[in-house]
Short mmCIF file of all heavy atoms in Angstrom, two decimals:
data_model
loop_
_atom_site.label_atom_id
_atom_site.label_comp_id
_atom_site.label_asym_id
_atom_site.label_seq_id
_atom_site.Cartn_x
_atom_site.Cartn_y
_atom_site.Cartn_z
N CYS A 41 -3.29 4.24 4.84
CA CYS A 41 -1.96 4.01 4.30
C CYS A 41 -1.10 5.22 4.65
O CYS A 41 -1.61 6.34 4.74
CB CYS A 41 -2.08 3.85 2.79
SG CYS A 41 -0.51 3.68 1.92
N HIS A 42 0.21 4.99 4.81
CA HIS A 42 1.07 6.15 5.12
C HIS A 42 1.06 7.17 3.97
O HIS A 42 1.34 8.35 4.19
CB HIS A 42 2.49 5.72 5.48
CG HIS A 42 3.12 6.66 6.48
ND1 HIS A 42 3.40 6.33 7.79
CD2 HIS A 42 3.49 7.96 6.34
CE1 HIS A 42 3.91 7.39 8.41
NE2 HIS A 42 3.98 8.38 7.55
N SER A 43 0.72 6.72 2.76
CA SER A 43 0.62 7.68 1.65
C SER A 43 -0.49 8.70 1.93
O SER A 43 -0.37 9.86 1.52
CB SER A 43 0.35 6.96 0.33
OG SER A 43 1.41 6.08 0.03
N ASP A 44 -1.55 8.31 2.62
CA ASP A 44 -2.58 9.28 3.00
C ASP A 44 -1.96 10.37 3.88
O ASP A 44 -2.28 11.55 3.74
CB ASP A 44 -3.72 8.61 3.81
CG ASP A 44 -4.61 7.73 2.94
OD1 ASP A 44 -4.67 7.96 1.73
OD2 ASP A 44 -5.24 6.82 3.51
N HIS A 63 -7.52 5.31 0.30
CA HIS A 63 -7.42 4.54 -0.95
C HIS A 63 -7.18 3.05 -0.66
O HIS A 63 -6.52 2.36 -1.42
CB HIS A 63 -6.31 5.13 -1.83
CG HIS A 63 -4.97 5.12 -1.17
ND1 HIS A 63 -4.53 6.14 -0.36
CD2 HIS A 63 -3.98 4.20 -1.18
CE1 HIS A 63 -3.33 5.84 0.10
NE2 HIS A 63 -2.98 4.65 -0.37
N GLU A 64 -7.69 2.60 0.49
CA GLU A 64 -7.70 1.16 0.79
C GLU A 64 -9.14 0.83 1.19
O GLU A 64 -9.45 0.63 2.35
CB GLU A 64 -6.73 0.83 1.93
CG GLU A 64 -5.26 0.96 1.53
CD GLU A 64 -4.29 0.54 2.62
OE1 GLU A 64 -4.71 0.45 3.81
OE2 GLU A 64 -3.12 0.29 2.31
N TRP A 89 -5.21 2.40 -4.81
CA TRP A 89 -4.63 3.71 -5.10
C TRP A 89 -5.24 4.34 -6.35
O TRP A 89 -5.33 5.56 -6.46
CB TRP A 89 -3.12 3.56 -5.26
CG TRP A 89 -2.43 4.81 -5.71
CD1 TRP A 89 -1.93 5.08 -6.95
CD2 TRP A 89 -2.17 5.99 -4.92
NE1 TRP A 89 -1.37 6.34 -6.98
CE2 TRP A 89 -1.50 6.92 -5.75
CE3 TRP A 89 -2.44 6.35 -3.58
CZ2 TRP A 89 -1.09 8.18 -5.30
CZ3 TRP A 89 -2.03 7.61 -3.13
CH2 TRP A 89 -1.36 8.49 -3.98
N CYS A 150 -4.05 -1.43 -1.17
CA CYS A 150 -2.86 -0.65 -1.55
C CYS A 150 -1.62 -1.30 -0.93
O CYS A 150 -0.72 -1.72 -1.64
CB CYS A 150 -2.96 0.81 -1.12
SG CYS A 150 -1.42 1.70 -1.49
N GLY A 151 -1.59 -1.40 0.41
CA GLY A 151 -0.40 -1.96 1.06
C GLY A 151 -0.06 -3.35 0.53
O GLY A 151 1.11 -3.66 0.26
N THR A 154 1.20 -3.44 -3.16
CA THR A 154 2.49 -2.75 -3.29
C THR A 154 3.66 -3.67 -2.90
O THR A 154 4.77 -3.52 -3.42
CB THR A 154 2.48 -1.46 -2.44
OG1 THR A 154 1.43 -0.64 -2.93
CG2 THR A 154 3.80 -0.71 -2.54
N LEU A 178 2.78 -1.83 5.22
CA LEU A 178 3.24 -2.60 4.05
C LEU A 178 4.11 -3.78 4.48
O LEU A 178 3.94 -4.91 4.01
CB LEU A 178 4.07 -1.70 3.11
CG LEU A 178 3.32 -1.01 1.98
CD1 LEU A 178 2.19 -0.12 2.49
CD2 LEU A 178 4.27 -0.18 1.11
N THR A 285 2.07 0.48 -7.22
CA THR A 285 1.09 -0.51 -6.72
C THR A 285 0.98 -1.66 -7.73
O THR A 285 1.91 -2.44 -7.86
CB THR A 285 -0.27 0.16 -6.44
OG1 THR A 285 -0.71 0.83 -7.61
CG2 THR A 285 -0.16 1.15 -5.30
N ARG A 330 -1.98 -2.03 10.82
CA ARG A 330 -2.67 -1.11 9.92
C ARG A 330 -3.94 -0.59 10.58
O ARG A 330 -4.79 -1.39 11.01
CB ARG A 330 -3.05 -1.84 8.62
CG ARG A 330 -3.61 -0.97 7.54
CD ARG A 330 -2.71 0.16 7.12
NE ARG A 330 -2.28 0.13 5.74
CZ ARG A 330 -1.19 0.76 5.30
NH1 ARG A 330 -0.44 1.47 6.13
NH2 ARG A 330 -0.86 0.71 4.04
ZN1 LIG B 402 -1.33 3.48 -0.17
#
Side-chain angles (χ1 to χ4, degrees):
C41 175
H42 212 110
S43 298
D44 288 336
H63 59 273
E64 290 185 343
W89 173 254
C150 175
T154 300
L178 267 58
T285 55
R330 187 57 118 202

